[in-house]
Amino acid sequence: MKSAKRPVRMADIARAAGVSVMMVSRAYRDGGSVSEEKRAHILRIAEEMGYVFDATAANLRLNRTGFVAVTVPSINNANFADTVRALGDALAREGLQILLANTEYDPDAEARLLDQLLRRKPEALVVTGGDHGEQARKLLQRAGVPVVEIWDLPAAPIGHAVGFSNSDAMVDLVGHFARAGYRRLAFIGGETPFDSRGRDRRAGFIRGVAQHGLGPPRLVDAGEVPVSMSAGAGALAQLLAQYPDTDAVLCVSDLVAFGAMTEAQRRGLRIPQDLAFGGFGNFEIGRVSLPQITTVEVSAAQIGARAARLVLDLLADPARAPARIDMQPYVIARGSS
Amino acid sequence: MKSAKRPVRMADIARAAGVSVMMVSRAYRDGGSVSEEKRAHILRIAEEMGYVFDATAANLRLNRTGFVAVTVPSINNANFADTVRALGDALAREGLQILLANTEYDPDAEARLLDQLLRRKPEALVVTGGDHGEQARKLLQRAGVPVVEIWDLPAAPIGHAVGFSNSDAMVDLVGHFARAGYRRLAFIGGETPFDSRGRDRRAGFIRGVAQHGLGPPRLVDAGEVPVSMSAGAGALAQLLAQYPDTDAVLCVSDLVAFGAMTEAQRRGLRIPQDLAFGGFGNFEIGRVSLPQITTVEVSAAQIGARAARLVLDLLADPARAPARIDMQPYVIARGSS
DNA sequence: GTGAAAGCGCTAACAT
DNA sequence: ATGTTAGCGCTTTCAC
C-alpha cells in the first residue's frame, strides 16, 4: 500500500537515482546530452516510483503550454465534431493539446470563454466563425498569439482563416436546382442572429434566386440554432401552408433537409417528383436516407486538418503563412433532386 | 500601436497602480481583503494595459489546475457529445475546464492519452467505459485523483462509475420484442474487441434470446466501430441472405438501425409488418425517421451531468460519494416494432 | 556528460 | 487593508 501523500517530483527521482535534478529533466527531454545507460536507469526509477512529469511547472518555466484553444458553437454537430477531431489529431501529433469550449451560438458566452481560455496561455486560437461580439473581437485582436477563424471566410480576418463562403456555396446550390428545372424554390433555415453560417446561407439563397430570376425568395424560419431534424419537419409544414406550390426546398443543413423530407413523405409526397430537396454539409444522414440528399460538400474534417497545419506553420514562422484558405465547397447531386 | 514584446504581468500592473503585487493578486481573487475602490482601480489599469491573468503560474503555486481530464472513444457520436457537453457545462459553472481526448476505441491510444493528460495534473479523470488495457488501468489506479468511469457499470469500478448495464438494457429490449410477438430476432453490431458497450449489448441480446426461448442467436457483424449508418445498411443485406426469415432486427445503436431500415425499405420491405427494428441510444434520428425507431433511452446528457456532480462531490469530500450510479435505461416503443 | 544556481509568475503565510 | 518573503517544480544558463 503506497501513500499518495506528497506526489513524487524530479528531486525524488534524482535522489533515488543518485544524479542531479537536471539529469532527470534531461532524461525526459533530449536524447542527446544524457548517456543512454543513465537515461534508462533514471526512467526506470521514475516508473518504479510512480513519477508523473509535471507539465504545469515545465510550462511556466518554458513559457510554452502546448495548448491550442478552440471554440465551436456546438460540439453536438457531426460537422464541427469532424473538424475538431481532425484538428485535434493533427495537433496531437505535434504534442499540442486542444482546449475546447462551446459558445452555444452566444456572443457573450464566446467572450467569456475566450477570456477563460486566454488565461491558460494557449499558443494559438482557433475559433469557429468570422462573426464575433465586440468584446470577443477585442480579445482575439490582442491575444498576442496566432488566431485562425474557421468555417467562414471573412474578407478581413482577425488573423487567418480556413473556410469558405457559405453564401457563394448556397448560390451554387441554387444554380444546381435552377439548371435542373426547378422554379419555385424555398429555403428553410434558422434565424438566430449570431449564426453567421446560417445567415450567409440564407443570404446566398436570396442572391441565387434573384440571379436566376426565380421571383421573390420564399423563406421559412426553422427556429433556434442548432437547427435540428425535428425543426426541419416542423418548418416543412409551415412551408407547405405558406407556399403550397413550391417545387424544391433548400435547407440550411442536411439534418434539416432530412427532417423536412420525412415530413413530406409522411404526407404522401413523392421525392423528388412532387417536391425536391437540397441540404448542406454532406452529413452521413444524406448518404443513407431514402432518397439520398443533394447537398454541398464542405470538407469538415479537412477544415480541421488544414487549420492545424496553418497553426503549426504560424508557430514555426508567423510571417510565411497564407491569410485566407478557401476550402471550395461543391455540390453533390443525389436522388432528392 | 502597442508592442506585444513582453507580456504584461502582475508586477507591471502593481507598478502602474502604485500598489504591491499581492494587492493585484488579491484584486483578482478575494473580494474581501481589498478595498472596493482600490480593487476597481487595479482592474481598470490591468484592463488598460491588456493584462491577462496567467493561470499557469497560479496553478503551479496553488497546486490546483482546474482541469478535469475526459476520454471518449469518439467525439463524433451524438450520445458522447451530449455527455461531454453536459459534463463540461456543469464543470464550467464551478470553474473547471475539460481536457478532452479521443481514444478511438484503441486501448493503446487510451494509455498514451492518459499519460499525456496526467502530466497536466487534472483534478479528476472521467473515462468512458469500464474496460481498459493493462497500462491504462495502472495509470488510472495510481492517478491519485478521483476516477469516474461512465457509460458502463463495472462490478468493481476503479474509482467510481456513472452508467448502466448495457447488457441488461439489451435484455430488456429483447423482452419488449418477445412480448410483442416477435420470435426470430437477429442482432447487428460491431465486433471491435475494445468496445465494451457494443460487446455487452450483444451479450445481452444472446442472453435475452435464450431467456425467452427464441432459439440460437442470429448475429451479424457490422464491422469496425464506430459503427455507422452505412454499416447498418450493409449488415442488413448480409442478414437477409443468412437468416431470410428474421422478423425483427435489434441493432447496437439507432444509427445502425436507421441504416438497416433504409436498406430494408430500399428492398421494398414494409416496417414493421415485414420486418421490425429496434435500436439503442435514443438518437434524434430515431425520433424523426419514418417510421420512428423503437429504442433504449440511456440519458446521455444526464450521464454527463451526474458525472459532473459526482466529480464535484468527490473534490469536496472524497469519502461521502456513491461508488456506482445506475442511470437505469428504459425501452421506448415506437413505430418500427 | 554532469551539476549548481537562478528564476518563470503567481500566492500562502506571516508580517504590519 | 496592505506589504515582504519564500517557494510551487521545472529548465535555462553557465560552470566544470
Side-chain angles (χ1 to χ4, degrees):
Chain A
M1 195 77 200
K2 61 191 172 308
S3 147
K5 205 66 199 167
R6 203 186 27 66
V8 181
R9 19 190 226 300
M10 276 194 183
D12 302 316
I13 311 301
R15 203 174 310 112
V19 295
S20 72
V21 181
M22 259 327 288
M23 291 312 290
V24 181
S25 174
R26 286 181 180 118
Y28 269 85
R29 328 202 96 247
D30 349 318
S33 49
V34 190
S35 71
E36 212 26 75
E37 185 191 6
K38 190 153 284 182
R39 180 188 156 84
H41 177 226
I42 291 171
L43 291 181
R44 195 172 49 71
I45 294 207
E47 166 63 23
E48 280 171 20
M49 297 179 69
Y51 172 67
V52 180
F53 183 92
D54 188 336
T56 307
N59 292 344
L60 175 58
R61 177 64 236 230
L62 291 169
N63 199 27
R64 287 194 62 238
T65 58
F67 285 130
V68 172
V70 179
T71 66
V72 287
S74 153
I75 191 56
N76 205 320
N77 172 304
N79 270 345
F80 293 140
D82 275 342
T83 297
V84 169
R85 186 155 61 110
L87 181 65
D89 285 356
L91 292 177
R93 255 174 261 130
E94 303 298 321
L96 295 171
Q97 157 85 237
I98 280 185
L99 277 181
L100 186 65
N102 275 259
T103 64
E104 313 283 354
Y105 293 94
D106 174 354
D108 294 336
E110 184 186 24
R112 211 163 43 241
L113 290 167
L114 283 174
D115 185 65
Q116 294 299 320
L117 291 170
L118 285 168
R119 294 175 170 220
R120 300 283 188 184
K121 303 296 174 184
E123 299 183 30
L125 297 163
V126 177
V127 297
T128 303
D131 190 23
H132 313 280
E134 192 190 337
Q135 181 62 15
R137 188 164 199 89
K138 195 166 100 188
L139 290 173
L140 290 170
Q141 277 161 344
R142 46 155 81 171
V145 292
V147 174
V148 177
E149 292 166 283
I150 58 174
W151 275 90
D152 271 342
L153 208 56
I158 292 173
H160 301 252
V162 177
F164 57 91
S165 165
N166 285 271
S167 170
D168 289 353
M170 188 53 91
V171 169
D172 288 348
L173 186 63
V174 170
H176 173 82
F177 275 79
R179 280 190 298 282
Y182 296 100
R183 285 294 168 268
R184 296 177 301 280
L185 275 52
F187 178 82
I188 296 179
E191 296 274 355
T192 301
F194 274 86
D195 172 22
S196 62
R197 285 151 312 285
R199 205 181 48 215
D200 286 354
R201 289 172 202 171
R202 189 169 60 239
F205 175 81
I206 295 171
R207 184 152 54 92
V209 163
Q211 274 181 17
H212 290 88
L214 301 179
R218 303 163 177 220
L219 305 171
V220 178
D221 179 11
E224 292 284 291
V225 286
V227 188
S228 63
M229 297 182 186
S230 319
L236 188 85
Q238 194 196 318
L239 186 151
L240 291 177
Q242 205 172 343
Y243 308 109
D245 66 339
T246 298
D247 60 7
V249 182
L250 305 198
C251 300
V252 72
S253 83
D254 287 357
L255 305 181
V256 172
F258 176 75
M261 234 168 61
T262 57
E263 181 60 27
Q265 290 172 329
R266 205 164 265 128
R267 290 160 178 254
L269 296 174
R270 291 165 308 158
I271 301 169
Q273 297 87 339
D274 299 329
L275 191 56
F277 284 86
F280 201 107
N282 193 14
F283 288 73
E284 189 186 17
I285 183 73
R287 296 191 290 275
V288 179
S289 63
L290 201 63
Q292 296 181 302
I293 304 173
T294 293
T295 190
V296 177
E297 165 64 78
V298 298
S299 314
Q302 284 181 48
I303 290 176
R306 198 66 192 79
R309 209 165 85 215
L310 180 55
V311 164
L312 294 170
D313 287 349
L314 286 165
L315 292 178
D317 180 1
R320 207 169 43 194
R324 292 163 86 245
I325 297 173
D326 189 341
M327 299 304 288
Q328 307 199 0
Y330 53 90
V331 173
I332 300 180
R334 299 212 184 101
S336 71
S337 71
Chain B
M1 193 76 199
K2 61 186 172 313
S3 148
K5 204 66 199 167
R6 212 198 5 77
V8 181
R9 16 189 232 300
M10 277 195 183
D12 301 316
I13 310 302
R15 202 174 309 112
V19 295
S20 72
V21 182
M22 258 327 285
M23 291 311 290
V24 181
S25 175
R26 287 182 179 117
Y28 269 86
R29 330 201 91 247
D30 348 320
S33 49
V34 190
S35 72
E36 211 28 75
E37 185 191 6
K38 188 152 285 180
R39 179 190 157 85
H41 176 227
I42 291 171
L43 293 181
R44 195 171 48 69
I45 293 206
E47 166 64 23
E48 280 170 22
M49 297 179 70
Y51 172 67
V52 179
F53 183 90
D54 188 336
T56 306
N59 292 343
L60 176 59
R61 175 64 235 227
L62 291 169
N63 199 28
R64 286 195 62 240
T65 58
F67 285 130
V68 173
V70 179
T71 66
V72 288
S74 152
I75 191 57
N76 203 321
N77 171 305
N79 270 344
F80 292 139
D82 275 342
T83 297
V84 169
R85 184 155 61 112
L87 181 65
D89 285 356
L91 292 177
R93 257 174 258 127
E94 303 298 321
L96 295 170
Q97 158 85 237
I98 279 185
L99 278 180
L100 187 63
N102 275 258
T103 65
E104 313 282 354
Y105 293 95
D106 174 354
D108 294 336
E110 184 186 23
R112 210 163 43 242
L113 291 167
L114 283 175
D115 185 64
Q116 295 299 319
L117 291 170
L118 285 168
R119 292 174 172 223
R120 300 283 187 183
K121 303 296 173 183
E123 300 183 30
L125 297 161
V126 177
V127 296
T128 302
D131 191 23
H132 313 281
E134 192 189 335
Q135 181 61 14
R137 188 163 199 89
K138 194 166 102 188
L139 290 173
L140 290 169
Q141 276 162 344
R142 48 155 80 170
V145 294
V147 174
V148 178
E149 293 166 281
I150 58 174
W151 275 89
D152 271 342
L153 209 54
I158 292 172
H160 301 252
V162 177
F164 58 90
S165 164
N166 284 272
S167 170
D168 289 354
M170 189 52 91
V171 170
D172 288 351
L173 187 62
V174 170
H176 173 82
F177 276 79
R179 278 190 299 281
Y182 296 101
R183 285 294 168 267
R184 296 177 301 281
L185 274 54
F187 178 82
I188 296 178
E191 297 272 355
T192 300
F194 273 85
D195 173 21
S196 62
R197 287 153 307 289
R199 207 182 45 215
D200 287 354
R201 288 172 202 172
R202 189 168 61 239
F205 175 80
I206 295 171
R207 183 152 56 92
V209 164
Q211 274 179 19
H212 289 88
L214 300 179
R218 303 164 176 218
L219 305 171
V220 177
D221 180 11
E224 292 283 292
V225 287
V227 188
S228 62
M229 297 183 186
S230 319
L236 188 84
Q238 195 196 318
L239 187 152
L240 291 177
Q242 206 171 344
Y243 308 109
D245 65 339
T246 297
D247 60 5
V249 182
L250 306 199
C251 301
V252 72
S253 84
D254 287 357
L255 305 181
V256 172
F258 176 75
M261 233 168 62
T262 56
E263 180 60 27
Q265 290 172 328
R266 205 163 264 127
R267 289 160 179 255
L269 296 174
R270 292 164 307 157
I271 301 169
Q273 296 89 337
D274 298 329
L275 191 56
F277 283 87
F280 201 108
N282 194 14
F283 288 71
E284 190 187 17
I285 182 74
R287 297 191 290 275
V288 178
S289 63
L290 202 62
Q292 296 181 303
I293 303 173
T294 293
T295 191
V296 177
E297 164 64 79
V298 298
S299 314
Q302 285 182 48
I303 290 176
R306 198 64 192 79
R309 210 164 86 215
L310 180 56
V311 163
L312 295 170
D313 288 348
L314 286 166
L315 293 177
D317 178 2
R320 209 169 42 195
R324 294 163 83 246
I325 296 173
D326 189 341
M327 300 305 286
Q328 307 198 1
Y330 52 91
V331 173
I332 300 179
R334 299 211 183 100
S336 70
S337 69

